[in-house]
């Protein structure tokens, strides 16, 4: 099974992970209506059996429910996995002590003694400085509460600052989790990818299937329902614009006997220092995500998809 490393000396994990925003989230995903704990428990087990070892959550997902579910499932897991979660720098958390308390609360919900990867969910530093925040996280590493530190949604400059502040404490910056897919490639044109490689920071790519746009599920004749209807990309003109990319995804899927989603994920795996973390609410989705592993697009196919998706740089 293909693996990649989190940062310069972090753990080795599967080259595809699972994002767990939908586990317990009732507001956006509707957890508890069409799916629930049984389905996401099956997704976890199926992912494990397929060789996926990285699971990404956050304290805000389901207001802690995602962490609690992941912690519960992890107790019965016989294989080593990497649990990653995220901390929200919100205005009422003003001190180093508040950061350490948030770490301890995530430890309790995850039912572990140490968190493999602890990330800052977004770069909000109006009330608490980056210096205070990353000093607290370095202290959490030194206290054995977390193994590795990451950030999320950080710009190249913000990532550089976080990297330097942690380095002053002898702690590497392992990851930057950002939106990245074939049709959300701004992290390349904005210089974030180049800076991450310079700093040896791994990119965790969330929304790697662009909320389903790269799966072939939606066409100008088959439009989505629910919240996606308000997104211009899911309207007929937006879907028609995607045709050059989806045509290649469908073509390469047929060549490799894979799905379009697996091809889109494999393209991300082919990028240096990138690990996609698609969501999975069911066993079927987890198995399909894992199907992006164990094979590779040809260099020519990778290039063809890169060229077709340049309008999204």
């Amino acid at each position: 099974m293909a693996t990649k490393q989190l940062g310069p000396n972090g753990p080795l994990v599967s080259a595809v992970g699972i994002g767990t925003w939908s586990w317990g989230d009732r507001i956006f995903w509707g957890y508890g209506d069409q799916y629930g704990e049984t389905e996401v428990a099956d997704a976890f087990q199926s992912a494990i059996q397929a060789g996926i070892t990285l699971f990404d959550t956050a304290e805000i997902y389901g207001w802690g429910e995602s962490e609690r579910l992941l912690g519960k499932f992890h107790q019965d897991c016989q294989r080593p996995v990497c649990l990653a979660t995220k901390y929200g720098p919100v205005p009422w958390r003003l001190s180093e002590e508040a950061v350490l308390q948030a770490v301890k609360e995530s430890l309790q919900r995850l039912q572990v003694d140490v968190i493999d990867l602890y990330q800052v969910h977004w770069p909000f530093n109006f009330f608490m400085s980056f210096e205070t925040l990353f000093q607290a996280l370095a202290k959490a590493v030194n206290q054995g509460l977390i193994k590795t530190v990451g950030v999320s949604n950080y710009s190249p400059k913000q990532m550089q600052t976080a990297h330097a502040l942690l380095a002053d404490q002898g702690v590497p910056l392992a990851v930057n989790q950002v939106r990245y897919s074939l049709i959300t490639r701004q992290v390349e044109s904005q210089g974030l990818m180049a800076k991450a490689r310079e700093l040896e920071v791994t990119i965790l790519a969330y929304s790697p299937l662009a909320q389903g746009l790269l799966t072939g599920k939606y066409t100008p004749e088959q439009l989505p329902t629910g919240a996606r209807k308000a997104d211009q990309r899911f309207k007929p003109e937006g879907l028609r614009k995607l045709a050059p990319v989806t045509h290649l995804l469908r073509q390469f899927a047929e060549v490799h006997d894979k799905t379009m989603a697996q091809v889109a994920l494999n393209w991300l795996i082919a990028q240096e220092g990138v690990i996609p973390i698609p969501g999975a609410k069911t066993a079927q989705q987890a198995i399909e995500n894992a199907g992006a592993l164990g094979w590779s697009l040809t260099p020519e196919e990778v290039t063809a998809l890169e060229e077709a998706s340049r309008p999204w740089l």
Side-chain angles (χ1 to χ4, degrees), residues 231-246:
D231 190 327
Q232 292 296 319
R233 298 177 304 169
F234 289 89
K235 295 187 181 301
E237 56 271 24
L239 292 166
R240 280 191 286 269
K241 182 182 177 182
L242 287 177
V245 176
T246 54

Side-chain angles (χ1 to χ4, degrees), residues 82-289:
C82 178
L83 301 185
T85 192
K86 296 184 285 297
Y87 153 88
V90 288
W92 54 87
R93 289 171 166 168
L94 304 177
S95 65
E96 183 178 292
E97 291 73 21
V99 177
L100 294 174
Q101 182 59 35
V103 172
K104 292 173 182 176
E105 289 171 359
S106 284
L107 283 166
Q108 290 176 350
R109 288 188 290 267
L110 289 168
Q111 300 183 56
V112 293
D113 296 324
V114 57
I115 295 170
D116 298 305
L117 172 63
Y118 197 72
Q119 304 153 94
V120 184
H121 209 150
W122 58 86
F124 182 82
N125 68 329
F126 185 77
F127 292 97
M128 180 172 62
S129 69
F130 280 166
E131 288 80 4
T132 299
L133 172 59
F134 289 104
Q135 182 172 312
L137 294 175
K139 180 176 287 188
V141 172
N142 293 329
Q143 290 180 358
L145 301 177
I146 58 180
K147 291 181 182 178
T148 49
V149 178
V151 294
S152 182
N153 301 303
Y154 272 46
S155 69
K157 182 177 180 181
Q158 291 163 337
M159 182 171 59
Q160 176 80 67
T161 298
H163 181 276
L165 290 170
L166 287 169
D168 287 344
Q169 305 291 321
V171 175
L173 177 65
V175 309
N176 189 0
Q177 184 175 151
V178 295
R179 187 186 302 273
Y180 186 30
S181 74
L182 272 166
I183 56 170
T184 46
R185 294 179 56 192
Q186 293 85 354
V187 293
E188 296 179 44
S189 57
Q190 293 168 356
L192 190 142
M193 293 294 296
K195 177 59 68 173
R197 287 167 183 156
E198 174 191 329
L199 300 176
E200 296 183 87
V201 171
T202 301
I203 294 296
L204 295 188
Y206 72 80
S207 199
L209 299 175
Q211 296 187 326
L213 281 167
L214 298 174
T215 66
K217 181 178 180 180
Y218 305 112
T219 68
E221 295 74 37
Q222 187 172 344
L223 300 175
T225 59
R228 288 178 174 85
K229 291 194 299 183
D231 190 327
Q232 292 296 319
R233 298 177 304 169
F234 289 89
K235 295 187 181 301
E237 56 271 24
L239 292 166
R240 280 191 286 269
K241 182 182 177 182
L242 287 177
V245 176
T246 54
H247 172 75
L248 283 180
L249 290 175
R250 189 171 292 107
Q251 176 184 327
F252 298 155
E254 292 175 358
V255 169
H256 293 278
D257 193 23
K258 298 295 179 181
T259 67
M260 291 172 63
Q262 289 164 347
V263 173
L265 293 174
N266 197 270
W267 184 85
L268 285 170
I269 294 171
Q271 309 308 308
E272 178 189 350
V274 175
I275 300 174
I277 50 170
K281 295 183 290 186
T282 65
Q284 180 181 352
Q285 290 173 348
I287 292 168
E288 181 172 9
N289 292 341

Side-chain angles (χ1 to χ4, degrees), residues 30-42:
Y31 177 85
D33 293 334
Q34 297 181 345
Y35 71 103
E37 182 173 335
T38 299
E39 286 75 16
V40 296
D42 289 344

Side-chain angles (χ1 to χ4, degrees), residues 48-82:
I48 292 292
Q49 291 168 9
I52 289 178
T53 61
L54 173 62
F55 294 84
D56 178 79
T57 183
E59 60 176 10
I60 199 173
Y61 294 169
W63 303 108
E65 186 64 15
S66 178
E67 285 185 328
R68 284 188 287 269
L69 289 167
L70 189 53
K72 179 179 179 179
F73 305 154
H74 176 254
Q75 295 308 299
D76 299 324
C77 183
Q78 303 302 311
R79 302 180 186 179
V81 297
C82 178

